[in-house]
Amino acid sequence: MTEPPARRLLLVHAHPDDESINNGATMAAYAAAGARVTLVTCTLGEEGEVIPAELAHLAPDREDALGAYRVGELAAAMKELGVTDHRFLGGTGRYRDSGMMGVAQNHRPGAFWAADVDEAAAHLVEVIREVRPQVLVTYDPDGGYGHPDHIQAHRVAMRAADLAADPGFRADLGEPHAIAKVYWNRVPRSVVEEGFRGLADALPGSPFTAVAALADVPGVTDDERITAEAGGPAFGAAKAAAMRAHATQIEVSEPLFALSNGLAQPIFVTEYYELVRGESGAAPGARETDLFAGLGTEGMDQ
Ligand SMILES: CC(=O)N[C@H]1[C@@H](O[C@@H]2[C@H](O)[C@H](O)[C@@H](O)[C@H](O)[C@H]2O)O[C@H](CO)[C@@H](O)[C@@H]1O
Ligand SMILES: [Zn+2]
């Protein structure tokens, strides 16, 4: 049997498109470096809006076929990033997109926001004990911007990290595994402010006519909370191509993109993280430039 890659990264996201927006460059960088990159997406994004007019028929209030279509968009995005291991939590369609906070779909049977966290976490424990990642990436407690599926993905990911390590939990799901480092997706406020400063000048050459608010950028926090960065310009083209693959949700006109609200935002090719569990491998006060920093050979063999 061939040995699994030494470095194993697990990312947990709410909808098809979040992985490319938040971590596309990071995923491409580690895939290119031979690490095993595993993506778990919690819903199919069934309740999304649809940008291309010719695909409007897929919408939840028409054919309700958007989820199945976005499965294909996600597969195309993973090809652009070189990621071959992507799964849906509990199997394809197990949990449904809950819609934005406060809509009736939040309480629809099967909605991810209405799911039992421990039951959903058990599905993720099975993946964690199989893949045995040293690093986990997910959202902060607010899900980056308060979307119920993002908040729930955070809760399920953090709960699963605890349960996967517990030798008294569900031995049928595999040998216990403790994830060495857990990061939340973040964007430093100074980077957002800089990105938006130049944005108005880039609008004329783009298909966009209006600019998003800084508050629309998920995970914005004080610079001091950023402990790591990854990805980078070498993987900017792969990230943009992956975002473009999610054509029902994202319109890309590099260096900008817009979601279905049409409001332009900068594409961040360097991606930022806050280490919330485990030890930093960087010097005190410095940022890591590798999420696996400090794990050494012992960390790679887990
Ligand atoms: C990036 C992200 O999390 N997208 C979600 C989000 O989509 C937004 C939603 O449709 C909103 O109403 C629009 O104004 C905004 O432009 C969209 O990005 O919520 C969807 C429904 O839960 C979800 O499918 C989509 O992936
Ligand atoms: Zn999302």
Side-chain angles (χ1 to χ4, degrees), residues 7-260:
R7 297 187 296 178
R8 301 180 296 280
L9 168 65
L10 171 64
L11 302 102
V12 179
H13 275 293
H15 313 107
D17 69 8
D18 293 309
E19 81 296 327
S20 297
I21 297 169
N22 289 278
N23 312 110
T26 301
M27 295 170 77
Y30 281 112
R36 177 175 181 172
V37 180
T38 300
L39 168 67
V40 174
T41 305
C42 297
T43 78
L44 307 187
E46 299 92 332
E47 292 295 332
E49 295 177 348
V50 180
I51 296 174
E54 66 273 19
L55 296 177
H57 60 87
L58 298 170
D61 58 355
R62 293 187 51 187
E63 295 172 5
D64 194 18
L66 183 56
Y69 190 87
R70 290 179 73 176
V71 169
E73 290 186 330
L74 180 59
M78 292 305 96
K79 277 200 172 61
E80 298 292 351
L81 301 180
V83 172
T84 55
D85 185 7
H86 51 98
R87 316 167 189 213
F88 290 101
L89 183 68
T92 306
R94 173 67 185 78
Y95 297 103
R96 185 176 170 100
D97 182 340
S98 308
M100 298 292 271
M101 188 62 84
V103 301
Q105 293 89 322
N106 293 177
H107 308 292
R108 171 178 172 147
F112 188 44
W113 181 237
D116 176 273
V117 170
D118 278 7
E119 179 204 68
H123 291 302
L124 189 55
V125 165
E126 188 169 12
V127 176
I128 292 170
R129 289 181 172 175
E130 174 210 328
V131 173
R132 314 188 76 76
Q134 296 95 350
V135 176
L136 166 65
V137 168
T138 192
Y139 309 108
D140 67 74
D142 188 41
Y145 72 98
H147 189 294
D149 292 334
H150 287 226
I151 294 169
Q152 191 78 316
H154 162 86
R155 292 173 180 173
V156 168
M158 299 306 287
R159 180 67 172 146
D162 289 336
L163 292 174
D166 179 352
F169 181 75
R170 294 288 301 275
D172 61 305
L173 296 181
E175 286 299 307
H177 175 73
I179 298 172
K181 301 170 84 176
V182 178
Y183 293 90
W184 292 344
N185 294 309
R186 290 293 194 185
V187 186
R189 188 165 284 102
S190 67
V191 168
V192 174
E193 289 168 351
E194 176 57 30
F196 275 76
R197 238 189 308 278
L199 203 153
D201 300 338
L203 268 189
S206 81
F208 312 124
T209 55
V211 176
L214 271 66
D216 290 331
V217 178
V220 178
T221 191
D222 295 337
D223 288 36
E224 297 71 40
R225 293 187 72 158
I226 306 299
T227 62
E229 53 188 68
F235 300 95
K239 174 169 184 168
M243 291 173 71
R244 199 172 273 116
H246 292 287
T248 59
Q249 305 301 306
I250 307 171
E251 186 174 2
V252 174
S253 175
E254 289 175 87
L256 310 178
F257 78 97
L259 300 170
S260 58

Side-chain angles (χ1 to χ4, degrees), residues 263-281:
L263 302 176
Q265 301 183 42
I267 297 174
F268 296 118
V269 294
T270 297
E271 293 153 345
Y272 300 88
Y273 302 89
E274 178 183 5
L275 180 67
V276 294
R277 289 192 188 173
E279 297 301 317
S280 171

